[in-house]
Amino acid sequence: MSDHPDPSPTSGTTAGASPTVLRLRIDLDDAHPPIWRRLDLRSDLTLDVVHQVIQDAFGWADSHLHRFAVGGSVWDRGAQLFLCPYDVAEGEAEGTPEEQARLDQLLSEPGDVLRYVYDYGDDWQLTLRLEKTLPAEPGTPPAVCVDGRRAAPPEDSRFEYMNEGLAALVEDPDRFEPSEVNGLLERPWYALRARGLHPRLLELVNMLSLTNDGAELGTRLAALPDSPTRPPDGELRTALGAHLWFLDQAGDGGIPLTTAGYLRPAAVEEAATWIPTMADWIGKANREDLTYPVAAFREALVKKLKLLRKFKGALHLTRAGGAARDRPARLFDHLAASIAPPQERGRFVVDADLLVLAYAAVTPDGELPLDRIAAHLTDLGYEHDDGRPVAGHVLHQYAANVHDVLVNVDAPPAGRRARSQISTVAATLAHAALRH
């Protein structure tokens, strides 16, 4: 056979079927002598994961665009195309996002073919051909390199490769070690991808793994349980005490506001005894406009968490707030959904929130490393308008950030505490948010 006869992404094995192992031979097209890899891939891998496997197998750095196709060439509009995130974001309409297609929906019989291109400029085209299907045992890894021949040409080397050959680009053109590829395939990224975490977080973990102080983030995330366990109600009542207090007060006819729209002094004083970030507040706490932690917490309940709403001079419960009143488990789930970043890429607020959530998830009873997170954001290309690198204090200043939500998931204030302290419940909440 050549290309798969039915390029529909719903053909082949259904998404609910038990996974098998697909043995593929992947050839770099037009390579003389041949350059190829033989890989055992779990059949339930989506194409975004297959893309990363190919990058590791050929020693590339995932720094260019790519796409897959069945039923024809990657440049053939008559083929079924599967697009990388950038092409989707740019509005490319002819194709399916690669993360929506499983490998076993596209390859089912020996000889079936999947096409791939990496770097639209250098145009490295590869052919993935199914050789056989094998049973998947419990604990089967996502990908294993079985065999291969010759080194692959490096990034951005098409012109030199075509004119001077592989020997001009690498020290030993015949050298290829499957064990080196398998070392890459054992990275935490693959385990994290199987857990249903936010896809943009996986991209960030992958990119940061190449930096001096970012490699450990993926390892620490991979050490977390596959899914978070919601804390018992007793712990939740303590850590969510401030939220529950506001919901309880609002449930009895609403919390009245002054004519200027602030909480009344008596309410400010009582709220201050519940809000964790009041622990390091110095001075009186009887005016909301002069008590920032109270004002910020109340504003988050209205705007970001949507548990309260302003109506006729008072704070009233929203439908979500009414459902979570005196139900700490329901409230926990609502907070996790509310702080989960949208499925977007390339926006500072999304990437900043994802990194804050990731470090919070692995920092129970510890302080968030804001300066490290800021350095990561700088490594990812973000900077101030005047070219200055991102600073740690920015992470609790931008609008609707998750930092202020997480640090207020803790026991009521009692003595001094670090401004960015993360409780065990807040760490679990962050982990849950990353899975939404």
Side-chain angles (χ1 to χ4, degrees), residues 172-331:
D172 184 358
D174 291 324
R175 185 178 185 278
F176 174 71
E177 294 292 338
S179 61
E180 294 178 3
V181 175
N182 286 325
L184 295 173
L185 297 177
E186 292 171 359
R187 287 177 315 171
W189 185 89
Y190 290 99
L192 295 174
R193 179 63 182 78
R195 296 183 183 180
L197 296 179
H198 193 292
R200 175 58 179 171
L201 175 62
L202 301 182
E203 294 178 6
L204 298 180
V205 166
N206 219 24
M207 289 186 282
L208 292 173
S209 69
L210 304 176
T211 66
N212 291 331
D213 62 351
E216 69 167 16
L217 178 58
T219 302
R220 293 173 69 186
L221 286 169
L224 293 173
D226 283 355
S227 59
T229 300
R230 187 197 300 126
D233 273 11
E235 289 183 35
L236 292 178
R237 284 189 182 278
T238 298
L240 301 177
H243 304 76
L244 292 167
W245 181 85
F246 270 92
L247 297 183
D248 184 62
Q249 297 298 306
D252 296 324
I255 304 174
L257 302 173
T258 66
T259 55
Y262 295 112
L263 291 171
R264 293 178 177 177
V268 174
E269 290 179 358
E270 189 170 356
T273 67
W274 288 98
I275 298 173
T277 49
M278 284 297 297
D280 60 354
W281 186 256
I282 299 174
K284 292 184 178 181
N286 60 0
R287 286 183 55 182
E288 189 183 17
D289 60 333
L290 299 179
T291 313
Y292 173 78
V294 174
F297 185 82
R298 191 259 286 193
E299 193 74 356
L301 292 177
V302 174
K303 290 188 175 180
K304 185 170 185 65
L305 304 178
K306 295 180 172 53
L307 291 164
L308 300 177
R309 63 187 180 92
K310 294 181 183 179
F311 180 69
K312 292 186 177 180
L315 294 175
H316 295 274
L317 295 174
T318 62
R319 179 176 297 180
R325 185 187 182 192
D326 202 35
R327 296 177 179 175
R330 178 75 68 88
L331 176 58

Side-chain angles (χ1 to χ4, degrees), residues 59-229:
W60 292 328
D62 194 14
S63 57
H64 298 284
L65 304 182
H66 67 275
R67 70 173 49 175
F68 291 90
V70 291
S73 161
V74 290
W75 304 123
D76 182 358
R77 292 293 179 176
Q80 175 70 41
L81 304 179
F82 300 92
L83 307 177
C84 69
Y86 183 85
D87 280 344
V88 174
E90 289 296 296
E92 176 65 65
E94 297 295 329
T96 301
E98 63 184 6
E99 62 269 19
Q100 295 180 13
R102 274 174 47 150
L103 196 56
D104 56 10
Q105 294 174 313
L106 307 173
L107 302 175
S108 58
E109 300 292 335
D112 286 351
V113 163
L114 177 64
R115 309 286 182 181
Y116 171 86
V117 64
Y118 173 62
D119 187 348
Y120 296 172
D122 271 7
D123 194 30
W124 301 114
Q125 295 197 39
L126 293 89
T127 298
L128 290 71
R129 188 180 302 275
L130 177 61
E131 292 186 326
K132 65 171 69 174
T133 300
L134 304 167
E137 304 297 334
T140 295
V144 175
C145 183
V146 178
D147 198 2
R149 290 293 182 273
R150 296 176 60 81
E155 297 259 346
D156 304 317
S157 66
R158 181 76 179 196
F159 179 82
E160 293 85 353
Y161 175 70
M162 297 300 292
N163 287 277
E164 302 175 38
L166 192 59
L169 298 170
V170 298
E171 184 175 338
D172 184 358
D174 291 324
R175 185 178 185 278
F176 174 71
E177 294 292 338
S179 61
E180 294 178 3
V181 175
N182 286 325
L184 295 173
L185 297 177
E186 292 171 359
R187 287 177 315 171
W189 185 89
Y190 290 99
L192 295 174
R193 179 63 182 78
R195 296 183 183 180
L197 296 179
H198 193 292
R200 175 58 179 171
L201 175 62
L202 301 182
E203 294 178 6
L204 298 180
V205 166
N206 219 24
M207 289 186 282
L208 292 173
S209 69
L210 304 176
T211 66
N212 291 331
D213 62 351
E216 69 167 16
L217 178 58
T219 302
R220 293 173 69 186
L221 286 169
L224 293 173
D226 283 355
S227 59
T229 300

Side-chain angles (χ1 to χ4, degrees), residues 45 204 333 377 416:
L45 297 185
L204 298 180
D333 292 343
L377 290 165
R416 301 299 297 272

